[in-house]
Amino acid sequence: MRTLREISLLREALDEFRHRGQRIALVPTMGNLHEGHLALVAEARRRGDVVVATIFVNPLQFGAGEDLDAYPRTLADDQTKLEDAGCDLLFAPETTTLYPRGLEGQTRVCVPEVSEGLCGGDRPGHFDGVATVVTMLFHLVQPDIACFGEKDYQQLAVIRRLVADLHLPVDVVGVPIVRAEDGLALSSRNGYLDAAQRATAPLLYCTLCALREALAAGADPDDTLADGLARLREAGFAPDYLELRNADLGPVTATTREAVLLAAARLGPTRLIDNLSLTLPR
Ligand code: PAF
């Protein structure tokens, strides 16, 4: 696997793949790779002839006071994992390579509506930062396929909308959440949890499972969500949101069948997110 840091070298390498008629599958990441990321690489491997991963801790998607500086940077380890997973090329640019004029005057991509509320409500500007860097990576790599985790459900919805609205010729593939044995969704931020918090963290998933069961059995959504919030607070979480939306993140109505429960909750300074899809009864 080659690691490239410069745009010109990336373009040269990609030209070679395209010349050979190979389908390029892209896996954008911020590094500190775990099994969830490797599932993205495996899916990209299945769908493309060539797998290109990117590692870039994107400052544009971090708000003031968020964990940009603390975000784990583990490039050497990540390179080994990607190589073992069958990745062909890694693009790991410096911040100044993608944002040579700094962040202030940077052209940004905004995906309205779907970026609002949920994580977009708690993290203003976050999805503009994600949409901007993903658009940039799509232009630089021009992939046929791009794989993203379903753990970041709203992010995936934002990227799907972006691709549709800008008519980008990229097949966006959502890859199911990878969980630890106790149910905790894998995330680079799980590394911030101390032992006691790590023991509590799976209760986020357990709560979503209990709510899904209740809703699938016809329980009232408002009562069920209120019960879920109380459970999370009792377990020691500070919930940012717990919501039931339709699968496209619109409001649930009497005719909604395919829905999703979404939660974000803090354990100490660590913000965890999770979601669970469900079918509502008629
Ligand atoms: O999901 C992530 O790791 C990031 O938000 C992404 C998509 C790589 C953009 O920086």
Side-chain angles (χ1 to χ4, degrees):
M1 182 188 75
R2 293 166 70 191
T3 299
L4 302 176
R5 293 186 159 275
E6 300 303 330
I7 290 173
S8 56
L9 297 177
L10 173 72
R11 288 201 163 119
E12 263 175 41
L14 292 168
D15 277 351
E16 283 174 31
F17 298 141
R18 275 193 215 96
H19 247 79
R20 291 191 223 122
Q22 292 175 304
R23 277 170 68 77
I24 297 171
L26 175 67
V27 180
T29 81
M30 298 206 299
N32 192 235
L33 304 181
H34 50 65
E35 289 299 322
H37 296 110
L38 300 181
L40 303 182
V41 175
E43 190 58 37
R45 192 63 288 158
R46 268 191 290 279
R47 290 176 182 256
D49 300 313
V50 169
V51 177
V52 176
T54 65
I55 293 181
F56 180 65
V57 182
N58 174 32
L60 213 56
Q61 69 188 72
F62 288 78
E66 290 190 354
D67 57 342
L68 173 62
D69 293 335
Y71 201 86
R73 285 143 171 100
T74 51
L75 183 62
D77 229 46
D78 293 344
Q79 283 171 310
T80 308
K81 288 179 182 168
L82 286 171
E83 175 122 47
D84 292 349
C87 179
D88 297 287
L89 191 97
L90 169 63
F91 179 52
E94 296 292 342
T95 303
T96 48
T97 302
L98 292 198
Y99 302 121
R101 292 184 305 105
L103 302 184
E104 208 48 51
Q106 170 66 40
T107 298
R108 287 164 203 241
V109 177
C110 168
V111 185
E113 295 172 355
V114 71
S115 294
E116 289 151 23
L118 302 169
C119 287
D122 299 325
R123 305 181 67 191
H126 168 68
F127 287 117
D128 293 357
V130 170
T132 300
V133 81
V134 168
T135 304
M136 201 184 280
L137 293 172
F138 282 179
H139 277 291
L140 290 172
V141 176
Q142 298 184 20
D144 299 283
I145 302 141
C147 297
F148 296 89
E150 288 177 352
K151 183 175 78 68
D152 298 293
Y153 194 97
Q154 190 178 11
Q155 169 173 283
L156 183 55
V158 167
I159 293 165
R160 286 194 198 284
R161 180 71 58 82
L162 151 77
V163 162
D165 284 358
L166 299 182
H167 307 282
L168 302 179
V170 183
D171 181 11
V172 173
V173 176
V175 177
I177 298 175
V178 178
R179 298 183 181 279
E181 262 180 34
D182 57 13
L184 177 65
L186 297 191
S187 162
S188 300
R189 291 192 167 99
N190 293 349
Y192 299 154
L193 300 169
D194 65 25
Q197 291 164 342
R198 177 62 188 81
T200 302
L203 290 175
L204 182 58
Y205 174 61
C206 294
T207 304
L208 291 181
C209 289
L211 302 191
R212 174 167 71 176
E213 209 175 303
L215 289 165
D220 175 75
D222 290 341
D223 293 347
T224 308
L225 293 172
D227 175 48
L229 283 171
R231 281 178 193 228
L232 289 175
R233 289 196 181 105
E234 212 170 293
F237 290 93
D240 279 350
Y241 63 78
L242 174 62
E243 291 199 30
L244 179 68
R245 298 279 189 104
N246 72 29
D248 298 323
L249 293 183
V252 167
T253 66
T255 57
T256 302
R257 293 292 158 262
E258 297 316 312
V260 58
L261 273 164
L262 303 115
R266 290 169 201 275
L267 260 185
T270 309
R271 187 171 183 277
L272 301 175
I273 60 170
D274 204 344
N275 67 81
L276 216 47
S277 293
L278 71 154
T279 305
L280 295 172
R282 282 177 200 282

